[in-house]
């Protein structure tokens, strides 16, 4: 087994520590109401769905063949993510109703646990006796990982150890089954998740065995002979003829069938993001965690290589990743089709997780920029403004006709958010990220505090032996002004590092009213000011937000001759409700006036963008499908809304990338 040397290599050691979610209070602004809707609408709605679909009752282990609501092998993970979201939310704002429900579900989980620690509803009632015989596809370790994350969150939120103890027993059982020692299975999960969960369990318990087990799962992945084949043989199957292998072989994955599971190569040898997008994101998050805990630079190097590939070749402007519907996966460089974009909400959430871990090493704003871009676009597009319906896929363009005339409809692809899905990973994933968003705003390191995201909030943190209260007042992303107050309990020296977003030119900053020449103080995307701070010191930051036209790389074939509009971190789109049909005919000429207005009554209060545009004169087209190219263009004004807010009105056309120059 790889020797673990915790934190021996100081050069690699993670420099920053996030300020924990429970120490950050988000107030009003853009995110306060979103967290409130998450607590009062999303969490109850998701509980009802878990209840009505049988997910919660399945934990009673009473299901028999012939009964309705046959448990599915990933159901435990949906409940786990809901508990995790509820835990964060409860700690921020007590809610008796939700707390009672969480406690009831935890009691069911405890009762569903076997003597040896094992918990899984599917393998308890649908395929009893077959546990750990098909970790290739059956998500057993994935479900365990989500339950562990939920238990850690619940412990941190309430201080109650009950659920954590349950999950330690389960993790101990997993440790007794998997590993390189004689008699153990040399396996790993087809869907990464347990790896990052075990790091969380290690951090909260201090038990090194959980860190070692996580290292084992990451190190074992992609080694030959493939465990997935060994376990197929153990099941009495011919691995070459197993249905999954056959279907994967038919999928023509360039890197081979195991690329779908990121098991085509050992993780350190992977240089491009291949296969199922969520799995890549969770795997890389775990690799970054392990690099931070063990000082293993080779893992961080692999993360950086994959990061470059994802963010410079394979990511949508919204932070969406994984364009292909068929297997929720990456395809090839610059392949970002718009209408068929899959961009699973969970994959963007995973990108936020990964970015957040990467930025803690050096405090490099390149990670924070992607984290913010993804959060404000491809992540929150996943939930309706009302908080009770969800996108699984996040398209970059849409036409209702694509869905009205199909032989089969995949509910995940529909242009209207759905209340729930048969495979409902995304809704509770959004709920847990929204509830724990406080964790993404600030970090600290020795004598230094970082502000990553501009979110109206307050935190109290300890630096050395002194306490500092840090607060932000802002209407970001609508408004370009951010007021930061630094209040140490007594005068103290510290470095304040404030992110200057990559999208921003001409940021201005004043300290206690005095202008500071920002350019002299910026390092890796952060403005760094070391000085003596005293109670009530104020920083006023202005991040100018002109509307920008963005073009895509020339190799991104779908977007040649097209532009997207951005203002600050937000990507904009055109919707039929505001602009009529045939959005693809709209052309934004060079020099077009682009103006931004705050409309408090529209879509919960948004900044809209109006742009001068051209469109062909349809009255010149009689009953023709094609004609000589000579149709003059008419001047019109179009109105764009933030991408995340699309599909909250009537179903209609939508585009992000419009013709333009
Ligand atoms: Zn999902």
């Amino acid at each position: 087994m790889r020797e673990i040397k915790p934190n021996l290599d100081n050069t690699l050691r993670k420099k920053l520590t996030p300020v924990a979610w429970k120490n950050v209070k988000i107030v009003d602004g853009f995110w306060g109401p979103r967290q409130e809707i998450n607590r009062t609408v999303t969490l109850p709605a998701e509980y009802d769905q878990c209840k009505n679909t049988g997910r919660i009752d399945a934990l009673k282990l009473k299901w028999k063949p012939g009964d309705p609501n046959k448990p599915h092998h990933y159901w435990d993970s949906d409940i786990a993510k809901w508990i995790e979201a509820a835990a964060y939310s409860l700690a921020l704002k007590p809610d008796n109703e939700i707390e009672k429900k969480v406690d009831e579900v935890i009691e069911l989980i405890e009762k569903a646990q076997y003597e040896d620690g094992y918990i899984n509803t599917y393998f308890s009632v649908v395929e009893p006796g077959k546990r750990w015989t098909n970790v290739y596809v059956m998500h057993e370790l994935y479900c365990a990982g989500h339950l562990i994350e939920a238990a850690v969150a619940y412990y941190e939120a309430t201080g109650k150890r009950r659920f954590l103890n349950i999950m330690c027993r389960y993790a101990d059982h997993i440790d007794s089954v998997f590993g390189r020692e004689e008699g153990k299975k040399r396996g790993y999960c087809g869907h990464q998740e347990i790896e990052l969960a075990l790091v969380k369990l290690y951090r909260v318990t201090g038990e090194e065995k959980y860190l070692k087990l996580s290292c084992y799962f990451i190190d074992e992945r992609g080694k030959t002979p493939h465990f997935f084949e060994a376990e197929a043989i153990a099941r009495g199957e011919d691995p070459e003829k197993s249905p999954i292998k056959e279907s994967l072989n038919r999928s023509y994955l360039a890197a081979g069938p195991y690329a779908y599971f990121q098991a085509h190569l050992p993780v350190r040898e992977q240089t491009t993001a291949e296969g199922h997008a969520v799995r890549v994101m969770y795997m890389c998050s775990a690799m970054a965690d392990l690099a931070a805990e063990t000082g293993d630079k080779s893992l961080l190097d692999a993360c950086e290589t994959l990061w470059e590939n994802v963010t410079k070749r394979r990511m949508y402007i919204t932070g969406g990743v994984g364009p292909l519907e068929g297997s929720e996966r990456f395809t090839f460089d610059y392949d970002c089709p718009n209408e068929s974009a899959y961009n699973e909400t969970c994959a963007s959430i995973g990108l936020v997780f990964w970015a957040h871990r990467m930025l803690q090493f050096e405090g490099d704003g390149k990670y924070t920029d992607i984290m913010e871009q993804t959060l404000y676009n491809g992540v929150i597009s996943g939930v309706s403004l009302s908080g009770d319906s969800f996108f699984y896929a996040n398209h970059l363009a849409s036409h209702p006709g694509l869905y009205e005339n199909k032989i089969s409809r995949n509910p995940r692809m529909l242009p209207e958010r759905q209340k729930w899905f048969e495979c409902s990973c995304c809704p509770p994933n959004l709920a847990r990220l929204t509830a724990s968003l406080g964790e993404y705003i600030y970090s600290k390191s020795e004598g230094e505090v970082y502000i990553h995201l501009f979110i109206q909030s307050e935190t109290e943190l300890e630096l050395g032996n002194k306490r500092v209260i840090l607060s932000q007042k802002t209407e970001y992303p609508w408004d370009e002004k951010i007021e930061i107050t630094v209040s140490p309990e007594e005068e103290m020296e510290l470095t304040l590092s404030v992110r200057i977003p990559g999208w921003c030119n001409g940021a201005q900053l004043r300290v206690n009213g005095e202008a500071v020449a920002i350019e002299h103080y910026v390092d890796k995307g952060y403005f760094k000011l070391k000085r003596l701070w005293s109670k009530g010191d104020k920083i006023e930051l202005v991040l100018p937000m002109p509307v920008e036209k963005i073009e895509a790389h020339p190799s991104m074939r779908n977007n040649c001759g097209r532009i997207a509009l951005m203002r600050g971190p937000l990507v904009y789109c055109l919707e039929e409700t505001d602009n009529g049909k045939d959005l693809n005919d709209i052309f934004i000429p060079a020099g077009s006036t682009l103006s931004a207005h705050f409309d408090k009554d529209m879509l919960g209060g948004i900044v809209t963008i109006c742009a001068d545009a051209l469109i062909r004169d349809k009255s010149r087209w009689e009953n023709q499908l094609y004609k000589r190219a000579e149709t003059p263009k008419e001047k019109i004004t179009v109105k764009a809304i933030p991408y995340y807010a699309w599909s909250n009105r009537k179903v209609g056309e939508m585009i992000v990338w419009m013709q333009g120059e």
Side-chain angles (χ1 to χ4, degrees), residues 369-387:
D369 283 347
I370 297 287
M371 182 171 89
E372 183 187 66
Q373 187 176 349
T374 307
L375 186 63
Y376 278 95
N377 300 292
V379 168
I380 57 172
S381 58
V383 60
S384 64
L385 298 176
S386 57

Side-chain angles (χ1 to χ4, degrees), residues 81 142 278 282 328 344-347 392 423-427 429:
K81 272 183 275 187
Y142 167 87
V278 180
Y282 287 10
E328 309 182 316
E344 180 176 346
T345 305
C346 284
Y392 194 115
C423 169
S424 222
C425 47
C426 303
N429 217 353

Side-chain angles (χ1 to χ4, degrees), residues 101 117 142 168 200 295-296 305 329 369 405 444 486 526 541 559 561 635 637 642:
K101 284 173 176 161
Y142 167 87
C168 284
K200 284 191 176 180
D296 185 340
T305 303
R329 69 172 171 88
D369 283 347
N405 190 20
K444 59 178 187 173
V486 186
Y526 282 80
L541 177 64
N559 298 335
K635 284 186 181 168
T637 302

Side-chain angles (χ1 to χ4, degrees), residues 286-434:
M287 286 161 65
D289 279 342
L290 291 175
E293 293 297 340
T294 66
D296 185 340
K297 191 169 178 310
S298 64
L299 280 176
L300 188 63
D301 290 346
C303 276
E304 282 170 353
T305 303
L306 290 168
W307 179 269
E308 288 295 299
N309 177 249
V310 170
T311 60
K312 306 250 173 84
R313 303 271 193 284
R314 300 186 176 196
M315 188 187 82
Y316 284 82
I317 191 172
T318 53
V321 282
L324 200 64
E325 174 190 359
S327 41
E328 309 182 316
R329 69 172 171 88
F330 285 101
T331 52
F332 54 94
D333 290 351
Y334 307 110
D335 183 37
C336 294
N338 293 317
E339 286 179 342
S340 64
Y342 194 69
N343 288 344
E344 180 176 346
T345 305
C346 284
S348 289
I349 292 171
L351 181 55
V352 168
F353 292 160
W354 183 20
H356 187 233
R357 285 159 166 84
M358 295 300 281
L359 81 88
Q360 309 302 330
F361 284 93
E362 295 285 334
D364 191 335
K366 76 174 180 184
Y367 299 112
T368 328
D369 283 347
I370 297 287
M371 182 171 89
E372 183 187 66
Q373 187 176 349
T374 307
L375 186 63
Y376 278 95
N377 300 292
V379 168
I380 57 172
S381 58
V383 60
S384 64
L385 298 176
S386 57
D388 62 350
S389 49
F390 309 92
F391 274 144
Y392 194 115
N394 293 277
H395 311 308
L396 273 271
S398 189
H399 191 294
L402 290 165
Y403 310 95
E404 284 160 1
N405 190 20
K406 288 192 93 168
I407 290 171
S408 66
R409 269 189 205 169
N410 179 354
R412 300 177 195 178
M413 293 295 278
L414 292 175
E416 273 178 290
R417 293 180 184 81
Q418 307 291 301
K419 297 287 179 195
W420 198 243
F421 304 92
E422 198 185 315
C423 169
S424 222
C425 47
C426 303
N429 217 353
L430 266 165
R432 68 178 179 145
L433 176 59
T434 305

Side-chain angles (χ1 to χ4, degrees), residues 110-119 131 166 169-170 172-173:
E110 189 169 31
K111 285 185 181 154
Q113 184 166 37
Y114 287 69
E115 276 287 293
D116 61 4
Y118 183 82
I119 306 167
R131 63 156 100 158
I166 295 169
R169 285 201 295 277
Y170 191 10
D172 293 344
H173 169 71

